[in-house]
Amino acid sequence: MKTKLIKSMGLVGLMFAGLNGIGQALSYSDQAVAYNRLLVEKNSNTYIRIGNYKVTGTPYLFGENEAGNLYGTTGKLENVKIRYNTFTQEVEGLGETGTEKVRIEFTNIDSFSFNRNGKVHDEVHFIRTAFVDSTAKDFMMVMHVGKKYSLYKKYKSVLAMSTTNIGQVDLRQFELEFDYYYTAPGFYGLKKIKTNDSFLKKTFNDKINMDQFIDQHDKKTRINEFMVELFEALNQ
């Protein structure tokens, strides 16, 4: 693998360029959540120590060796293996020097992207939430960026009771959770958005006909696509 450090200008603008279609390829059965649960089931006897607990599973989104890019205040690192810890909200890259893997402590990370399956259209972008909410100290996935309304998704791992070895009181497992957030004209920062019909109608019915929109779009099995399509409609 070749690791390049490229100086670039206007990285914030670069991060947002061409992001409007992100999320449309993701299924209702969230890939990251499904992967996390699979690891818990397959590796129930493998754990790491966190405080007084033995924890199974993984806090890393999509695992520990997903290809992608890291963007920072001074440039970007291309073609590195990225590890995004959704428990600590820390991000690092793993490159190579010859045949030796090296950990890259890329300070002041602004954003990063996973190049899922080696396909450009599967690229998944995360930005530092502080760009939108200065009080936040985590990252969020960019689902849709519009002129008026933008949609984001946050992942976080929590320590949950074990579902594989119930008898061990000191055993926990990483459980991956996610929530949607949005920005809109007239307020600063992020607002959490619920996906139930009543919330969506109450929040957006004065902008578009939500009854009609819900009837014409599949929310039950295509929730990510539904949310992106909703925000595309809100920006028309």
Side-chain angles (χ1 to χ4, degrees), residues 148-149 182-187 191 200-213 230-236:
K148 295 183 292 184
Y149 298 89
Y182 74 103
T183 59
F187 69 86
K191 280 190 175 182
L200 294 175
K201 291 177 183 179
K202 180 181 178 181
T203 306
F204 300 117
N205 216 36
D206 60 332
K207 312 295 188 304
I208 61 175
N209 187 329
M210 283 305 304
D211 286 302
Q212 184 181 48
F213 187 89
L230 171 59
F231 275 74
E232 287 176 342
L234 289 170
N235 282 299
Q236 288 180 359

Side-chain angles (χ1 to χ4, degrees), residues 161-209:
M161 297 295 294
S162 175
T163 57
T164 56
N165 294 287
I166 301 175
Q168 296 188 41
V169 295
D170 64 338
L171 190 64
R172 297 291 186 271
Q173 66 187 39
F174 286 111
E175 188 168 290
L176 188 61
E177 301 177 348
F178 62 84
D179 290 295
Y180 296 101
Y181 292 82
Y182 74 103
T183 59
F187 69 86
Y188 171 78
L190 294 167
K191 280 190 175 182
K192 189 173 181 178
I193 180 171
K194 299 177 183 179
T195 58
N196 61 74
D197 289 357
S198 59
F199 180 90
L200 294 175
K201 291 177 183 179
K202 180 181 178 181
T203 306
F204 300 117
N205 216 36
D206 60 332
K207 312 295 188 304
I208 61 175
N209 187 329

Side-chain angles (χ1 to χ4, degrees), residues 36 106 222:
N36 176 272
F106 197 63
R222 298 173 64 253

